[in-house]
């Protein structure tokens, strides 16, 4: 375990910030050490999942005014007027944003409400008008829900109408895209909810509007089967020469359907399914408003941090209670382990996923940080009532249970569509639950313990190893994988508690295993020789005043680590988890600001964290 002393802090910041120097002794290196380096040197923080008034559910919840343009402007630092009447502005703008409104009735509820003839003169619009005139608003609002449950009951809008709306969405993204400064992606959400179980995906395009608008979004009204979505994305790439990805989210509300053993049609997962999914789903949204999906205490009883913001009582439709058998097919760590078995059987890993976070906000306002959380829905925006609002029983959650998460962090060469999209595609990304922690994670066969201190560490790491999201090839006899991991605190946030490496593997008997290793930590703590656990870092949170002190923890942590339990015959993956010291949860900030009593079932403090994408070893 290594904690950086003050004398080398500047070195770590150079590595995390991307500045690396080649020593002249290493060959005929140019005077400027950065010449010829061809790896990403910058990390960009963004949100790949945000809804505006164009989403039928967002509009139904009260987002009547804020447009995709407002969302892009807000993400870049401009103030907007929120639904609660407050003016809100980010203190730190985002680097990129995907406005991902639902494809089902995209923009139609808002347009219908303002009597736009594009909608009102269609058969769908006339049927909605009948519902309104008869006072049957349940059928009107229920049209969106049926579109992702029983699409045959509420037909889609005409293709020409959908094309017009979608072209406008893509052009809006282009107008706000500023290469090198801010990246605005075209995207949408494919919304499938079979038997109340969540199978939602965000679809993200690399391309400009001229390509994106050539094909209308494939929606849940076209099919509720993700295989059909992936095939539609393949058709888009073939027809346009463009590129597109699908990002699944909220497996914790899928009741076992997100990372399944069988297709929605009931047939076993085969090579065709695995190949198509692996092609288009390179990353997974592991943390967002509806719970954190990295790990679960039932699946990982020895992991003391597996109980972070779990939502585990039922599915998204509230139609079926949660059962333990569902959990391995819902949480990222379970999916990563099960992917090893599929790869062994099929030759393809359908669950080879990198990890990102995003917000899934429905108020056009992306604010994933605990001390800057402006809610995810109009009715959850700040005010003294939002902690007291238990919501009606037909709602999915109470306001106080909403999760502030999260960020998608991307290591890319520049802030452009192409660079960020390519990084997501190769999985050189990580998730945070709301902090802008900086993390780098590498593995290789040739690293040694001095490499973590070298000014040319990035040259070595990329030159002889692989970054997060990468693959290690077959080990030679006697070799073990070696890891370099470095992390720096959010400059505007809390210090770091520890770095952990989580390993999952399939043993010789075919059993899936996991282990959590503490590899670097702050302060003068030692592992317990009996339990192998690290003592808690402590807690400086002042609940009454919603403050904390950075008198514990470390500003930076790093280490070189070798897997002590490596078997070169066993498939495995590794990812890093970086934890901050405890800080007030957003509900604690609200409690202090509005003088509202905290609920007993809501924690007063949490430990925000980052999850890197894994590195896989395949024998």
């Amino acid at each position: 375990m290594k904690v950086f002393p003050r004398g080398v802090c500047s070195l770590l910041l150079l590595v995390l910030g991307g500045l690396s120097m080649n020593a002249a002794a290493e060959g005929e290196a140019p005077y400027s050490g950065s010449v010829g380096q061809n790896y990403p040197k910058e990390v960009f923080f963004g949100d790949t999942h945000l809804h505006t008034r164009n989403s039928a559910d967002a509009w139904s919840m009260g987002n009547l005014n804020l447009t995709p343009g407002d969302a892009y402007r807000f993400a870049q630092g401009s103030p907007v007027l929120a639904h609660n009447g407050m003016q809100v502005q980010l203190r730190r703008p985002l680097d990129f944003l995907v406005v991902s409104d639902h494809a089902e009735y995209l923009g139609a509820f808002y347009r219908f409400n303002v009597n736009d003839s594009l909608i009102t003169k269609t058969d769908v619009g006339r049927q909605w008008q009948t519902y309104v005139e008869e006072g049957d608003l349940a059928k009107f609002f229920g049209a969106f829900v049926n579109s992702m449950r029983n699409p045959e009951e509420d037909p889609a809008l005409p293709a020409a109408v959908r094309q017009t709306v979608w072209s406008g969405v893509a052009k809006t993204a282009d107008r706000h895209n500023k290469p090198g400064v801010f990246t605005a992606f075209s995207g949408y959400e494919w919304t499938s909810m079979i038997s109340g179980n969540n199978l939602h995906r965000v679809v993200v395009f690399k391309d400009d509007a001229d390509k994106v608008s050539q094909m209308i979004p494939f929606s849940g009204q076209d099919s509720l089967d993700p295989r059909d979505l992936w095939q539609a994305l393949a058709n888009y790439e073939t027809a346009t020469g463009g590129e597109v990805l699908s990002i699944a989210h909220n497996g914790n509300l899928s009741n076992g359907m997100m990372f399944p053993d069988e297709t929605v049609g009931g047939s076993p997962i085969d090579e065709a399914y695995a190949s198509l999914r692996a092609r288009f789903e390179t990353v997974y949204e592991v943390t967002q408003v509806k719970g954190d999906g990295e790990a679960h205490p039932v699946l990982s009883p020895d992991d003391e941090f597996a109980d972070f913001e779990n939502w585990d009582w039922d599915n998204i439709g509230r139609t079926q209670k949660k059962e333990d058998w569902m959990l391995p097919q819902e949480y990222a760590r379970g999916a990563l382990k099960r992917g090893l078995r599929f790869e062994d059987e099929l030759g393809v890993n359908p669950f080879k996923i990198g990890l990102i976070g995003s917000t899934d906000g429905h108020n056009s306002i992306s604010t994933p940080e605990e001390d800057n959380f402006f809610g995810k829905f109009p009715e959850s925006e700040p005010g003294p009532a939002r902690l007291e609002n238990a919501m009606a029983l037909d709602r999915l959650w109470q306001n106080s249970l909403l999760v502030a998460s999260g960020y998608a962090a991307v290591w890319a060469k520049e802030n452009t569509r192409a660079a960020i999209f390519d990084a997501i595609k190769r999985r050189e990304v990580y998730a945070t639950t709301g902090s802008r922690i900086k993390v780098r994670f590498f593995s290789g066969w040739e690293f040694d313990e001095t490499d973590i201190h070298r000014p040319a560490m990035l040259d070595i790491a990329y030159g002889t190893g692989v970054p997060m999201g990468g693959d290690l090839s077959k080990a030679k006899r006697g070799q073990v994988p070696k890891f370099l991991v470095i992390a720096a605190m959010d400059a505007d946030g809390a210090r770091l508690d520890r770095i952990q490496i989580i390993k999952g593997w399939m043993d010789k008997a075919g059993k899936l295993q996991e282990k959590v290793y503490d590899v670097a930590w702050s302060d003068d703590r030692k592992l317990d020789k009996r339990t192998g656990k690290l003592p808690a870092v402590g807690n400086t949170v002042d609940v009454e005043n919603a403050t904390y002190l950075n008198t514990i923890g470390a500003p930076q942590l790093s280490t070189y680590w070798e897997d002590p339990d490596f078997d070169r015959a066993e498939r495995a993956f590794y990812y890093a988890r970086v934890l901050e010291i405890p800080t007030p949860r957003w509900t604690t900030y609200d409690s202090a600001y509005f003088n509202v009593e905290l609920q007993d079932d809501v924690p007063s403090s949490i430990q925000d964290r980052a999850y890197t994408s894994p590195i896989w070893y395949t024998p």
Side-chain angles (χ1 to χ4, degrees), residues 77-216:
S78 295
V80 301
L81 187 65
H83 304 86
N84 66 354
M86 293 182 179
Q87 181 170 280
V88 58
Q89 184 176 18
L90 286 175
R91 63 172 178 258
R92 293 186 293 182
L94 303 184
D95 296 310
F96 62 92
L97 176 66
V98 182
V99 170
S100 57
D101 286 309
H102 294 281
E104 299 73 23
Y105 299 130
L106 177 66
F109 273 26
Y110 167 77
R111 288 172 179 263
F112 175 79
N113 187 60
V114 296
N115 202 30
D116 186 335
S117 61
L118 185 69
I119 304 300
T120 59
K121 289 187 177 181
T122 66
D123 290 341
V124 172
R126 284 187 283 269
Q127 181 62 68
W128 289 353
Q129 185 61 38
T130 300
Y131 293 155
V132 172
E133 290 173 354
E134 293 176 350
D136 197 345
L137 295 183
K139 280 190 176 180
F140 171 57
F141 292 120
F144 171 69
V145 176
N146 278 338
S147 73
M148 54 183 170
R149 283 180 169 175
N150 307 295
E152 65 281 355
E153 294 183 10
D154 286 271
L157 289 160
V161 173
R162 297 167 66 193
Q163 179 71 62
T164 298
V165 176
W166 176 238
S167 295
V169 168
K171 290 175 182 176
T172 298
D174 278 12
R175 283 197 300 273
H176 291 276
N177 189 50
K178 301 174 183 177
V181 179
F182 175 81
T183 295
F185 286 98
S186 290
Y188 68 88
E189 181 170 341
W190 173 81
T191 323
S192 172
M193 194 168 74
I194 299 174
S195 301
N197 299 324
N198 175 76
L199 292 177
H200 301 185
R201 266 83 173 171
V202 167
V203 175
V204 182
F205 295 86
K206 182 179 182 178
D207 313 304
D208 296 341
D210 58 346
K211 285 186 179 179
V212 170
S213 59
Q214 289 181 34
M215 298 181 70
I216 59 177

Side-chain angles (χ1 to χ4, degrees), residues 359-542:
T359 64
D360 193 13
H362 281 64
N363 57 354
S364 307
I365 297 171
S366 179
T367 55
E369 301 177 21
E370 300 294 331
D371 63 348
N372 191 35
F373 179 62
F374 215 79
K376 300 291 181 77
F377 310 93
E379 60 189 355
S380 69
E381 290 180 350
R386 78 166 168 177
L387 292 189
E388 300 170 345
N389 182 7
M391 291 193 180
L393 292 177
D394 61 344
R395 292 294 193 185
L396 183 61
W397 53 79
Q398 296 178 0
N399 278 339
S400 59
L401 300 181
L402 297 181
V403 183
S405 287
Y407 277 124
V410 176
W411 285 103
K413 297 176 184 177
E414 58 186 0
N415 189 354
T416 63
R417 281 178 175 167
I420 292 176
F421 186 95
D422 289 347
I424 295 173
K425 193 170 184 177
R426 70 175 180 266
R427 306 179 186 88
E428 197 167 355
V429 297
Y430 62 95
T432 87
T433 60
S435 295
R436 297 194 183 188
I437 303 168
K438 288 187 175 182
V439 191
R440 286 211 188 253
F441 183 51
F442 299 94
S443 184
W445 304 114
E446 307 299 330
F447 299 160
D448 67 48
E449 59 184 351
T450 64
D451 290 337
I452 198 72
H453 302 292
R454 296 185 186 277
M457 193 213 80
L458 289 181
D459 294 343
I460 295 167
Y462 279 103
T464 63
V466 297
M468 63 181 82
D471 292 273
L472 287 176
S473 56
K474 181 180 179 180
K476 297 178 182 178
R477 188 176 300 276
Q479 281 186 321
V480 297
K482 301 167 182 179
F483 297 85
L484 303 174
V485 55
I486 52 179
M489 65 177 280
D490 184 334
D492 193 29
R495 289 189 170 193
L496 304 180
D497 168 9
R498 69 186 76 191
I499 299 174
Q500 299 176 310
I501 291 180
I502 289 89
K503 177 186 178 182
W505 73 99
M506 189 172 74
D507 66 21
K508 292 185 178 67
K511 187 175 181 180
L512 299 173
Q513 308 276 8
E514 68 173 67
K515 189 171 182 178
V516 179
Y517 302 86
D518 289 302
V519 299
W521 54 87
S522 67
D523 306 317
D524 189 21
R525 293 178 285 166
K526 297 184 184 299
L527 292 173
D528 186 295
K529 292 182 179 180
R530 181 179 61 85
T531 65
K533 298 289 187 182
L534 185 68
V537 69
N539 192 327
T540 66
V541 172
D542 177 347

Side-chain angles (χ1 to χ4, degrees), residues 215 230-240 280:
M215 298 181 70
W230 303 326
Q231 188 57 59
L233 303 186
N235 294 343
Y236 166 83
E237 291 191 337
T238 300
T240 68
F280 289 106

